[in-house]
Amino acid sequence: MHKNKAIQILKSLTPEEFKDLGRFVASPYFNTSKGVIKLFNYIKKYYPLFENKALDISRVASKLNLEGSNPEGTLRNTMTDLNLLIRKFLSVEHYSNLEFKMKYAEVFQLYNRKLENLYEKELENYFSKFGEMNQRTEEYQYETMELLNLRIVNAYSKGDAKIDSEAFVKQSEFASMITLDYMLGCKQLTSLNKFSHNFEYVSLSSEMFDAFDFEKYLRAVKINSPNIYKIVSLEYYVLKMTLNLDFEESNEKLKILFAQNADFNKINQSPVWYLFTISRMNAYLYRINLHSTSHEDIYTKSQEL
């Protein structure tokens, strides 16, 4: 039993998680198997190492007084049930510890049950906490996108899209940021893989980055969504510097951004960045002062051919 999947997961639990699991196993709402409860109560004394010889499968089967012609087979089936229950516990713990996921599920359920007044109230509560993009990625961005889509569907169902015009605007912002995150991230990743691992592949998101007219996009964002502009412009010019694309021009753009936006200094508490950049043959480490955007090359590594 020492190498059983359930045992491996149990070893990974913190003491607090292990206590919570005990309550989870004992809860008739989550578990109705008395055999699983009996097994867990026996093996829990060997947490966290689970290396005692008392956990040999024949000994455990004997201690639990399992009946039938194949007690070890019965024990294996019970271990499988325990394994599935532990995995359910991990899923419940994960969602329970993330407020935005729990609130997202709650709003969806209220909507599906056609409890409109309750739905609208909890939807408002959700968006008061998780309705804005404050950085390139937010852990709640996909859930918020789903609820924005729901708001739009709800507006259409009432025959007037304009009653929730905000949903359309925010949907465009979140969709734009999610798309840009993949474009910027994949472009950086393909370049790093090529330089560091001699690994080349076609990344469609990276191809989108190359084909995309970012300057035109930034002009539109600056006019229509200043908050998103602050995030995207910073990320874009830093990435260009990372990839050694128009390094000096991008550095000048950053200087202008920091001069025009005092909020940037709030976003970046440290006045100094260390920026790793790559080109076709070399990698560089720059020290950049964000207040003046002056920079110096403090390390260079050439690719060995």
Side-chain angles (χ1 to χ4, degrees):
M1 276 181 53
H2 299 83
K3 295 182 179 180
N4 184 275
K5 294 176 182 178
I7 296 296
Q8 295 303 309
I9 300 176
L10 290 174
K11 285 182 177 181
S12 72
L13 299 181
T14 66
E16 187 61 33
E17 288 173 333
F18 195 74
K19 285 183 181 179
D20 290 341
L21 175 62
R23 290 189 283 268
F24 191 88
V25 170
S27 168
Y29 180 81
F30 293 107
N31 173 44
T32 58
S33 171
K34 294 181 179 179
V36 168
I37 295 174
K38 191 175 181 181
L39 173 60
F40 181 78
N41 287 337
Y42 175 79
I43 66 176
K44 69 181 183 181
K45 68 186 78 170
Y46 302 107
Y47 172 82
L49 299 179
F50 296 101
E51 294 177 351
N52 197 290
K53 290 182 179 180
L55 290 175
D56 291 343
I57 191 166
S58 59
R59 293 192 183 188
V60 177
S62 175
K63 286 286 186 180
L64 295 181
N65 298 315
L66 296 178
E67 300 177 354
S69 59
N70 185 11
E72 290 187 12
T74 301
L75 176 58
R76 288 190 175 92
N77 290 336
T78 306
M79 282 297 295
T80 297
D81 292 339
L82 177 60
N83 178 39
L84 294 175
L85 189 62
I86 294 171
R87 291 168 186 264
K88 181 183 289 187
F89 165 76
L90 294 178
S91 297
V92 171
E93 281 290 288
H94 172 72
Y95 278 92
S96 298
N97 290 327
L98 294 172
E99 182 186 2
F100 69 92
K101 285 188 177 291
M102 296 293 288
K103 183 59 69 175
Y104 159 80
E106 178 185 340
V107 171
F108 243 104
Q109 285 298 314
L110 292 172
Y111 178 81
N112 288 337
R113 295 171 190 276
K114 303 186 184 331
L115 300 171
E116 188 168 352
N117 290 337
L118 294 175
Y119 154 74
E120 290 181 350
K121 180 180 179 180
E122 293 310 318
L123 186 70
E124 183 179 348
N125 290 337
Y126 177 93
F127 277 94
S128 69
K129 292 184 177 181
F130 310 113
E132 300 292 340
M133 291 290 288
N134 300 305
Q135 54 191 359
R136 176 171 151 183
T137 59
E138 297 285 3
E139 61 178 354
Y140 51 78
Q141 61 192 27
Y142 296 106
E143 285 76 12
T144 299
M145 264 292 292
E146 286 291 322
L147 290 181
L148 286 167
N149 292 338
L150 190 63
R151 285 172 59 177
I152 289 172
V153 169
N154 194 41
Y156 280 132
S157 70
K158 295 179 178 180
D160 185 4
K162 296 191 296 297
I163 64 173
D164 196 356
S165 59
E166 181 191 57
F168 290 87
V169 174
K170 284 191 174 294
Q171 183 206 46
S172 72
E173 290 182 344
F174 271 77
S176 175
M177 290 298 291
I178 291 171
T179 302
L180 286 170
D181 179 46
Y182 278 107
M183 288 173 60
L184 298 175
C186 288
K187 181 62 179 179
Q188 186 172 28
L189 191 61
T190 52
S191 299
L192 286 171
N193 279 333
K194 181 178 180 180
F195 182 85
S196 301
H197 302 282
N198 196 26
F199 172 39
E200 295 187 60
Y201 57 98
V202 176
S203 168
L204 297 183
S205 292
S206 181
E207 293 296 321
M208 287 176 63
F209 175 90
D210 293 335
F212 195 63
D213 189 341
F214 259 98
E215 295 296 338
K216 180 180 178 181
Y217 169 76
L218 288 176
R219 289 194 293 272
V221 174
K222 186 175 183 179
I223 295 171
N224 296 288
S225 185
N227 183 57
I228 298 298
Y229 174 75
K230 292 176 184 178
I231 302 169
V232 174
S233 57
L234 178 66
E235 293 283 353
Y236 173 60
Y237 291 119
V238 168
L239 177 62
K240 288 190 71 175
M241 293 174 70
T242 300
L243 299 176
N244 257 319
L245 299 174
D246 305 320
F247 187 98
E248 295 298 339
E249 179 183 346
S250 298
N251 186 55
E252 286 300 313
K253 294 278 190 179
L254 281 180
K255 182 186 293 186
I256 294 172
L257 288 172
F258 274 91
Q260 294 178 343
N261 296 278
D263 288 346
F264 277 17
N265 293 321
K266 298 177 183 178
I267 297 174
N268 303 284
Q269 299 297 324
S270 173
V272 175
W273 275 2
Y274 289 90
L275 181 67
F276 179 74
T277 73
I278 58 175
S279 63
R280 183 172 179 273
M281 298 302 299
N282 299 307
Y284 308 89
L285 181 63
Y286 287 97
R287 182 189 292 116
I288 300 177
N289 187 306
L290 294 180
H291 293 163
S292 65
T293 60
S294 61
H295 60 83
E296 58 179 318
D297 180 1
I298 60 175
Y299 178 76
T300 302
K301 177 179 174 58
S302 296
Q303 185 182 49
E304 295 181 4
L305 299 177

